[in-house]
């Protein structure tokens, strides 16, 4: 090995060069596939966000080439978002509110239903700043995502809660200067009462009737 060290170094450099060229070729092909997929994803996520009552939001996938290799090639990929007209695109993870982030993630996941293997998804604040028809659309999309995975959603809107397969009521109580969280599974009557409370603050006959209509229309029929 010592006497042939120079030959061995030259051989290793040659092998390194061949492997590096092959890796660069593969990385270039992956980059092009990412760029093509990014355009499709941008369009589909944009359409889904419009459906979720966020028509002014701009979503972009930035594929930035790197000089060095990483575990997934030579690209840095970033999701960019402009929440309001006139605002520049910025890194989604840094500028989006909880509600915007949740709805954007819901849009992405609903598009990639058969592309990932995430078993459980948790959405919090997805109902922030929405109500009425928008809430029904979010609920419908959540229910669609939940067909092949577990979806846990923390919500204060009856239009979303009524579409769940399982409804858990979460309450905080204080006893002897300590705070406890109580989680109670609700049966059908319990769900009607809780939805009525969410709708009107007080459980009135009118609110109960609305809650029952929501359950019958958007849950049991599905």
């Amino acid at each position: 090995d010592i006497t042939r060290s120079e030959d061995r170094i030259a051989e290793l450099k040659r092998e390194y060069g061949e492997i590096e060229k092959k890796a660069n070729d593969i990385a270039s092909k992956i980059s092009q596939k990412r760029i093509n997929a990014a355009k499709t994803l941008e369009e589909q996520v944009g359409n889904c966000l419009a459906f979720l009552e966020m028509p002014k939001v701009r979503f972009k996938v930035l594929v930035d080439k790197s000089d060095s290799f990483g575990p997934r090639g030579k690209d840095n990929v970033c999701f960019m978002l402009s929440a309001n007209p006139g605002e520049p695109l910025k890194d989604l993870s840094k500028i989006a509110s909880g509600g915007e982030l949740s709805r954007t993630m819901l849009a992405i996941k609903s598009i990639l239903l058969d592309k990932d293997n995430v078993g459980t998804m948790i959405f919090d604040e997805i109902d922030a700043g929405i109500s009425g028809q928008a809430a029904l659309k979010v609920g419908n999309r959540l229910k669609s995502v939940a067909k092949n995975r577990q979806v846990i959603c923390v919500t204060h809107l009856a239009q979303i809660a009524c579409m769940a397969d399982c409804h858990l009521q979460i309450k905080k109580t204080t006893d002897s200067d300590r705070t406890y969280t109580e989680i109670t599974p609700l049966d059908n009557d319990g769900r009607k009462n809780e939805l009525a409370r969410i709708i009107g603050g007080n459980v009135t006959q009118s609110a109960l009737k609305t809650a029952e209509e929501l359950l019958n229309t958007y849950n049991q029929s599905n």
Side-chain angles (χ1 to χ4, degrees):
D1 287 345
I2 292 174
T3 56
R4 293 187 64 253
S5 62
E6 290 186 5
D7 293 338
R8 181 58 178 155
I9 289 171
E11 182 181 345
L12 289 172
K13 284 182 177 179
R14 185 171 60 255
E15 290 179 7
Y16 181 90
E18 292 174 356
I19 294 171
E20 185 179 35
K21 182 180 182 304
K22 184 178 179 180
N24 273 310
D25 290 343
I26 295 172
S28 294
K29 292 178 181 177
I30 293 173
S31 290
Q32 190 57 53
K33 287 188 175 183
R34 282 199 177 106
I35 291 169
N36 294 338
K39 294 176 182 176
T40 303
L41 186 62
E42 287 171 1
E43 181 180 357
Q44 292 179 342
V45 170
N47 292 337
C48 189
L49 288 173
F51 173 81
L52 297 174
E53 301 296 326
M54 297 173 69
K56 303 298 184 182
V57 168
R58 285 191 298 141
F59 175 81
K60 185 172 180 60
V61 182
L62 180 64
V63 181
D64 191 18
K65 292 187 178 182
S66 172
D67 293 331
S68 57
F69 287 101
R72 297 178 179 84
K74 297 183 73 174
D75 298 318
N76 295 316
V77 180
C78 181
F79 289 168
M80 310 289 286
L81 191 78
S82 171
N84 300 297
E87 291 184 2
L89 288 160
K90 295 182 180 179
D91 189 333
L92 171 64
S93 63
K94 296 179 180 178
I95 58 98
S97 66
E100 290 168 347
L101 191 60
S102 289
R103 270 180 279 172
T104 303
M105 185 57 62
L106 174 60
I108 293 170
K109 289 298 183 180
S110 64
I111 291 164
L112 302 178
L113 278 176
D114 58 343
K115 299 293 193 300
D116 65 42
N117 58 357
V118 176
T120 299
M121 297 175 62
I122 301 173
F123 292 95
D124 191 12
E125 295 188 44
I126 199 166
D127 54 11
I130 64 171
S131 60
Q133 188 65 26
L136 290 173
K137 289 181 177 180
V138 169
N140 272 310
R141 195 52 60 102
L142 283 168
K143 196 167 185 68
S144 175
V145 173
K147 287 181 179 178
N148 61 352
R149 72 199 66 208
Q150 182 185 47
V151 172
I152 298 172
C153 179
V154 182
T155 183
H156 302 279
L157 290 181
Q159 292 95 330
I160 294 176
C162 74
M163 298 192 192
D165 295 322
C166 176
H167 191 157
L168 305 175
Q169 181 193 47
I170 303 173
K171 291 195 304 183
K172 285 186 178 181
T173 57
T174 303
D175 182 28
S176 301
D177 297 325
R178 289 201 61 184
T179 301
Y180 299 89
T181 300
E182 181 182 348
I183 302 176
T184 306
L186 300 178
D187 58 16
N188 192 59
D189 288 338
R191 293 189 71 181
K192 281 194 288 187
N193 277 280
E194 179 61 14
L195 291 176
R197 187 189 66 80
I198 294 174
I199 291 168
N202 297 316
V203 181
T204 63
Q205 288 301 314
S206 176
L208 282 169
K209 183 178 179 180
T210 302
E212 186 171 13
E213 288 176 352
L214 283 173
L215 284 171
N216 291 336
T217 303
Y218 296 105
N219 186 274
Q220 295 174 10
S221 62
N222 296 325

